[in-house]
Amino acid sequence: MEKYNHKAIEANWQKYWEDNNSFQAEDESEKEKRYILVEFPYPSGTGLHVGHIRPYTALDVYSRYLRMQGYNVLYPIGWDAFGLPTENYAIKNKIHPRVATEENVNNFKKQLQSLGLSYDWSREINTTDPNYYKWTQWIFLQLYKHNLAYKKKMPINWCPSCKIGLANEEVVDGKCERCKTETTKREKEQWMLKITQYADRLIDDLETVDYLDRIKTQQINWIGRSEGAEIDFEINGKNVTVFTTRPDTLFGSTYFVLSPEHELVNEITTSEQKKAVQAYIKEARKKSDLERTELQKEKTGVFTGTYAKNPANGAMIPVWIADYVLMSYGTGAIMAVPAHDARDFEFAQKYNLEIKPVVKGKEEIADQAMTEPGVAVNSDFLDGLTTVEAKEKMSQWLEKNKTGKKAVNYKLRDWIFSRQHYWGEPIPIVYCDKCGEVPEDEKNLPIELPDVENYEPTDTGESPLAKIEDWVNTTCPKCGGAARRETDTMPNWAGSSWYWLRYTDPNNDQALADPVKMKYWLSVDLYNGGMEHTTLHLLYSRFWNKFLYDIGVVPTSEPYKKRISHGMILAEDGRKMSKSFGNTINPDDVIEKFGADSLRTYEMFIGPFADTIPWSEQGLVGVRKFLEKVNDYFFNYEASDKPELSKLVALNQAVKKVGEDIASFRFNTAISALMILFNELKSGDDNYYLTTEDTDKIVIILAPLAPHLAEEIWKQLGHKDSIFSQNWPNYDEKLLSQQKINLVIQVNGKLRATLEIEPGIFQEEVEKLAKDNEDVIRWLEDKEIKKVIFVLNKLINFVV
Ligand code: ANZ
Ligand code: ZN
């Protein structure tokens, strides 16, 4: 018996697929298309992680299956290669980030190819390629021209270790997401993108796509749309506006709070209170937003000595300063309603402020009033109305009296789009003494990064590009005079915000992609990626797609029809795999020892696709043994013309289950079904009990999971073509169990009898049984049978 030699087999078939462009998607095709997308990797110096392999393989199995179902499948890959880790690595090792990127890409590519993934390599893209980022810059210019890109001085999160400005979403628990250093605040002019202008559509259009529920919920919460009202209170003759989601509780507002950063704080504080207020503000500055707003944290505050006038009832209520009110949300001022808001309640108790219930039945537990509407009380013209009605009535009253209006607020902030680093797309803007801020001429794109020796970040917070005089000094595209380039670069989210468009036409130098090709391929049918990208990449890319749709560049308003997410693979010890724990698994070693098919099949078998699961060497060995068993089965294989029912049923069950399971991403149970099939096939003595045709089916349903081995067996069985040119097999309903079936017997097309038999019985035997049937004998007697029509498991018809 020939041993399963994965090394020879796998290298051979990988070469065959490459030489034959086996998985190239066709731009023009009669077939229906399927666009299958997996988040493209950041080619880090550490190489491919076994965690990457899980989604790549899953979508590969699915793509191979779809091709065999007759679809024209686009399954592309590329490199999201700008970013800090490469820049830091390059600085440390004194090599150019471009060179480091090239090395990393080569290594990643080699690794992906050694897995036998069926990517269309002719469409490989790289975000750091000037022919690619030309179009990233072009999109920026369109955003700029549509007033969706603007510059603003603002306090940004600053990581003192990475020396980089971070977006809010890159700060986790007050620490830099990458290096975990505590961040500080800095004032800087930044480029901003107005994603907030798309907030409503980014929520509302979720109804038109098929994303996992938890993905939709996370996006909705992240955007954080709150509907309510803005209400003006009068303080010392000045109107100060608050934002509230509960205008119906206005009569219950017993004090007023300004955020410590509010511009009116100094002006309205009485001289007696000045000292206390200033001391308080100093303390507040040390805390992060999270610390300030956490429910569990003890509330603190200080009285300003001044009073505000409640517009509904004219009550004069004390104005406090408290850091649980943030300047970055709403208006930075609130009307406090301690009877119905948990934080206000805690604060009022601590400082002995009045608590006045205005919603019946909800006095005790304040914040429940938000979700459980009640009935208004102690509220004058609102009394007796439900919360919903009272909100509406109060909003109308405010508008009539010109002391407020309906308002919507979002947690989502505009996207900080500047980075002060070298390894990113230059922002295509110049500054001219005469013309001011001028967008680059589209003809001049790409604005390439200069090739320099020194790209270390500066302590001043300026981009290293600022020091490169040759590059910075340029001419103004408007007047031709002397001008200076913008030295900030784009964040690493830029290139991934439109990359799936480029795959449809990766080499186009006239447009980001050809409209006809985009029309054929878009939108993406299935997009898989990590849950950690739900609120950043997924929102950013939906925003860009919508913008490009609005200006007529792309054909669909949503980029992805369906979004799913894979679970992580942990180390055998249950912890995250990490170099520092010494518990990582190197996929190269696994492929060397066990083979790519074993690794692929193991990662699909490890558990439900969305579950986080620890690695198991034992599990891997088990899968390898299974593939060896498969290999053995086909060696010296000889078909039988006498199929045995139990084997036939096992086969049909497997064909059904493997197909259905792959189609719905239940790879683990698809593999179980194959294991069950082979147990059945190998039970009994050493004879083979299936026909050639049925045996082919076994290999075909194995092929998406273990493509190299399947190709090899296919060849052994005497076939010339690649197995991937085969159609996915059908199964026979009647052969899904050994239960008897009723076979129809006809004579000259007329029903004469039925026959209860086991499924899977072939013509010869059925003919014999039919001819012995009494009801049939009468009709056949002394007639000559000219022809017999037989349909397996269905009927036999004697033409006489
Ligand atoms: C009165 C009130 C009564 C409130 C009540 C709530 C419940 P969301 O849902 O997150 O939008 N608020 C407004 N601006 C704030 C700020 N800058 N910092 C801290 N809190 C702020 O929350 C909106 C509610 O949070 C607003 O409605 C306001 O308190 C508070 F029974 O006004 B509410
Ligand atoms: Zn100019």
Side-chain angles (χ1 to χ4, degrees), residues 277-293:
V277 166
Q278 271 162 7
Y280 183 76
I281 291 173
K282 216 169 146 194
E283 280 306 301
R285 220 173 266 151
K286 294 182 191 157
K287 296 191 213 165
S288 72
D289 285 2
L290 192 81
E291 265 179 278
R292 285 170 50 163
T293 49

Side-chain angles (χ1 to χ4, degrees), residues 155-360:
I156 57 155
N157 305 298
W158 178 258
C159 173
S161 160
C162 298
K163 295 176 184 165
I164 193 173
L166 302 171
N168 281 340
E169 41 268 40
E170 292 167 306
V171 180
V172 177
D173 295 336
K175 295 190 179 106
C176 171
E177 184 192 47
R178 295 194 190 83
C179 74
K180 312 287 180 237
T181 306
E182 199 115 356
T183 60
T184 57
K185 297 260 181 197
R186 269 200 182 188
E187 283 267 322
K188 210 185 163 297
E189 283 254 297
Q190 299 281 345
W191 280 100
M192 310 284 293
L193 297 186
K194 254 187 226 165
I195 189 171
T196 51
Q197 193 161 313
Y198 282 74
D200 281 327
R201 283 166 69 192
L202 287 170
I203 290 181
D204 297 341
D205 291 355
L206 284 173
E207 280 179 24
T208 69
V209 293
D210 175 15
Y211 291 4
L212 290 180
D213 279 343
R214 57 192 167 124
I215 295 178
K216 287 192 183 182
T217 310
Q218 276 190 26
Q219 291 209 341
I220 290 167
N221 291 344
W222 185 263
I223 296 168
R225 177 163 65 192
S226 291
E227 285 165 30
E230 281 180 359
I231 304 178
D232 298 332
F233 282 65
E234 200 187 302
I235 305 179
N236 298 346
K238 252 201 174 121
N239 275 341
V240 187
T241 308
V242 302
F243 171 71
T244 176
T245 48
R246 295 295 306 275
D248 61 300
T249 62
L250 180 53
F251 286 98
S253 177
T254 51
Y255 68 101
F256 191 97
V257 186
L258 289 175
S259 155
E261 295 85 6
H262 199 283
E263 56 176 9
L264 286 181
V265 168
N266 268 335
E267 194 181 318
I268 65 155
T269 301
T270 59
S271 47
E272 299 83 58
Q273 290 299 96
K274 269 244 142 84
K275 245 190 160 153
V277 166
Q278 271 162 7
Y280 183 76
I281 291 173
K282 216 169 146 194
E283 280 306 301
R285 220 173 266 151
K286 294 182 191 157
K287 296 191 213 165
S288 72
D289 285 2
L290 192 81
E291 265 179 278
R292 285 170 50 163
T293 49
E294 243 178 341
L295 274 178
Q296 305 90 299
K297 287 272 155 66
E298 197 188 326
K299 302 282 159 298
T300 59
V302 58
F303 180 44
T304 61
T306 309
Y307 292 81
K309 188 168 155 194
N310 182 329
N313 57 7
M316 296 303 284
I317 56 175
V319 179
W320 285 67
I321 313 279
D323 63 11
Y324 75 92
V325 175
L326 300 175
M327 199 54 228
S328 54
Y329 189 66
T331 62
I334 66 157
M335 62 179 222
V337 184
H340 303 289
D341 179 274
R343 286 174 297 183
D344 297 347
F345 179 75
E346 198 193 319
F347 192 86
Q349 280 210 314
K350 179 168 171 185
Y351 293 105
N352 251 322
L353 296 159
E354 189 192 352
I355 299 173
K356 180 184 168 194
V358 290
V359 183
K360 204 164 86 190

Side-chain angles (χ1 to χ4, degrees), residues 35 99 160:
Y35 186 170
V99 177

Side-chain angles (χ1 to χ4, degrees), residues 111 182 221 223-224 246 264 310 412 428 431 433 443 464 475 502 528 558 585 598 624 638 696 784 787 795 800:
Q111 289 185 301
E182 199 115 356
N221 291 344
I223 296 168
R246 295 295 306 275
L264 286 181
N310 182 329
L412 184 71
Y431 302 97
D433 287 342
K443 283 202 305 280
T475 50
R502 189 67 173 170
N528 182 84
E558 282 289 334
I585 302 282
S598 292
R624 162 78 197 192
E638 268 171 49
D696 283 354
E784 188 195 339
K787 206 168 123 196
L795 64 84
V800 298

Side-chain angles (χ1 to χ4, degrees), residues 432 434-435 476 478-479:
C432 167
K434 266 214 326 258
C435 315
C476 169
K478 213 161 162 188
C479 71

